[in-house]
Amino acid sequence: MNQPIRSLILAAGLGTRLRPLTLSKPKCLVEINKKPLLELWIEKLEDINSQKIIINTHYLSDQVNNFLNTK
């Protein structure tokens, strides 16, 4: 019997190595090809049928929450 896939995205870091891009936005919302990293990660997890995704946030978490609420 296969167990459901549950996923945890660690998105709480300050993204110091990506500065100055992360001075005003969290690393997970930095865009690659006009898509935030977080959206790319979620799409990949959906592709493997992850049934539950938990996102650990801290730095600029309001922006992450706002992004998720618009999806």
Side-chain angles (χ1 to χ4, degrees), residues 29 38 55 57 60-70:
L29 295 182
L38 184 57
I55 304 170
T57 63
L60 301 174
S61 61
D62 291 344
Q63 289 183 36
V64 177
N65 291 333
N66 289 339
F67 170 77
L68 293 170
N69 287 331
T70 63

Side-chain angles (χ1 to χ4, degrees), residues 5-11 45 50 52-57:
I5 298 172
R6 297 181 202 138
S7 306
L8 172 64
I9 296 176
L10 301 175
L45 291 171
S50 180
K52 186 173 192 175
I53 301 171
I54 297 171
I55 304 170
N56 176 33
T57 63

Side-chain angles (χ1 to χ4, degrees), residues 10-27:
L10 301 175
L14 300 176
T16 55
R17 290 176 287 193
L18 289 179
R19 286 192 180 153
L21 298 174
T22 55
L23 288 173
S24 60
K25 75 168 60 174
K27 177 174 58 178

Side-chain angles (χ1 to χ4, degrees), residues 28 35-44 67 71:
C28 66
K35 272 192 179 181
L37 279 170
L38 184 57
E39 185 172 350
L40 296 170
W41 295 335
I42 291 171
E43 287 174 354
K44 294 292 183 188
F67 170 77
K71 292 295 166 188

